[in-house]
Amino acid sequence: MAGFRTTVCEQPTPQGHGRVILADPRGFCAGVDRAIQTVQTILDADNPHQGLPPVYVRRQIVHNRHVVEDLAQRGAVFVDELDQIPDQAVRAGVPVVFSAHGIAPSVVKEAQRRGMRVVDASCPLVSKVHREVQRFVRDGYRIIYIGHRGHDEAVGVMGEAPDRVHLVEHEADIEALDFGPDTPLVMLTQTTLSLDETADLAAALRRRFPWIEEPPGSDICYATQNRQQAVKLVAGQADCMIVVGSANSSNSVRLVEVARQALDERFPGQGEQRAHRVDDAGELDPVWLQGIDSVGLTSGASVPEDLVQGVLETLASRGFTQVTRARAVDEHMHFVLPAALRSARPSRKLPQPQG
């Protein structure tokens, strides 16, 4: 991992004296970018399905309201469950995209039973955790999964083996578990949590079950860790932090919590009132900026950069015209599109999915 460094990316303008410190990396991770491009590729291709939508998407493709609304305006239809997709669309071969958060086997089986044309946009890092569950279940393990109950990723992972995967969100959940040393145990983690976030629960699991195993590599997503490190770097220099991201985005909410903890160290007892989450510039509260000289700015892994630019413009209109960039680490991760779409190009018919 590269060392932390801060570089000036824009010269201050004569107007205003306030400073904005942009966190880098921020915004789209490789898995989110891949999922959004998956839907966009289908929308850009010829739609031979007369009178039917060009694509259905199960659940939010990523957890960002603006992304979902933009794709919906272009014609994508979002559904909560597959039974909301009419048989006529299935017979016509309208593609059904699974979101970046992964999918339970029961949903896959339902799609197969109905003969749906599926394009799986699950993040490869989430798919890795699914494969770990499958492997450990085959080897006779009970799996203790650190995650957030109800989150789409956790629902999908637990769906691999509902009777063998035990979710823990708080230490009380660990105390409620009852396994003896003769039960093989392994610890897995939701990818959108950070090492800091899971450290206490992981330590509690090791105390309670000293024989518990862990997979060879961390399940924590590189983007989650990098964005939280960048927030810590920025919060060490700014008077307050703005995180752009939706309320149902786990990683965006965590960025706010990390910012509050970091700011609380510099401004004891004030962390909560100095770090804020907004969906877009329209949610900025001028009260947050009173008495503030420097604002840290970042965004969650499912947030388009234009939303960050909108916040920058609003901050500039309120006197925060000096912009610097605090870079925590360089990111070069990229995931290719699902195999079914790799030969698809705008104005061309989509190839049939393989497998």
Side-chain angles (χ1 to χ4, degrees), residues 19 21 233-241 263 266-267 294-296:
R19 183 165 66 114
I21 307 172
L233 176 63
V234 173
Q237 307 170 43
D239 297 328
C240 75
M241 284 288 304
L263 287 166
R266 296 179 54 224
F267 306 98
S294 57
V295 178

Side-chain angles (χ1 to χ4, degrees), residues 19 238-245 256 260 263 267 270-298 311 314-315 318 320:
R19 183 165 66 114
D239 297 328
C240 75
M241 284 288 304
I242 304 296
V243 176
V244 185
V256 178
R260 287 174 176 169
L263 287 166
F267 306 98
Q270 299 181 39
E272 186 167 353
Q273 66 195 59
R274 287 178 179 264
H276 314 278
R277 182 199 58 79
V278 298
D279 253 309
D280 52 47
E283 295 184 355
L284 276 174
D285 188 339
V287 173
W288 299 341
L289 307 177
Q290 292 178 0
I292 296 296
D293 293 321
S294 57
V295 178
L297 179 60
T298 191
V311 172
T314 298
L315 289 173
R318 293 174 181 166
F320 293 85

Side-chain angles (χ1 to χ4, degrees), residues 218-234:
S218 171
D219 292 332
I220 300 299
C221 168
Y222 76 94
T224 297
Q225 200 67 20
N226 291 349
R227 279 149 189 71
Q228 293 191 12
Q229 287 180 345
V231 162
K232 292 176 184 177
L233 176 63
V234 173

Side-chain angles (χ1 to χ4, degrees), residues 101-241:
H101 308 106
I103 204 77
S106 60
V107 179
V108 176
K109 290 177 182 177
E110 173 64 11
Q112 292 172 339
R113 184 188 68 78
R114 292 188 62 189
M116 290 179 164
R117 183 182 175 197
V118 169
V119 179
D120 189 354
S122 297
C123 173
L125 300 180
V126 176
S127 298
K128 165 184 169 286
V129 179
H130 280 252
R131 291 193 298 272
E132 289 173 343
V133 171
Q134 295 164 5
R135 173 166 60 89
F136 284 114
V137 166
R138 284 197 306 268
D139 292 342
Y141 283 76
R142 292 279 182 168
I143 297 159
I144 301 181
Y145 178 75
I146 299 175
H148 290 306
R149 190 168 280 105
H151 188 278
D152 285 344
E153 181 181 333
V155 170
V157 169
M158 294 185 67
E160 289 286 349
D163 59 333
R164 304 290 293 276
V165 182
H166 308 269
L167 184 142
V168 296
E169 190 170 6
H170 310 287
E171 289 203 28
D173 299 324
I174 297 174
E175 293 304 315
L177 297 174
D178 185 20
F179 297 114
D182 58 337
T183 302
L185 297 177
V186 65
M187 182 194 318
L188 301 180
T189 308
Q190 184 175 318
T191 66
T192 54
L193 305 182
S194 71
L195 292 175
D196 290 344
E197 249 180 305
T198 60
D200 289 344
L201 286 176
L205 281 169
R206 294 187 194 101
R207 287 193 300 270
R208 182 79 194 279
F209 309 111
W211 67 93
I212 194 168
E213 299 178 28
E214 299 179 45
S218 171
D219 292 332
I220 300 299
C221 168
Y222 76 94
T224 297
Q225 200 67 20
N226 291 349
R227 279 149 189 71
Q228 293 191 12
Q229 287 180 345
V231 162
K232 292 176 184 177
L233 176 63
V234 173
Q237 307 170 43
D239 297 328
C240 75
M241 284 288 304

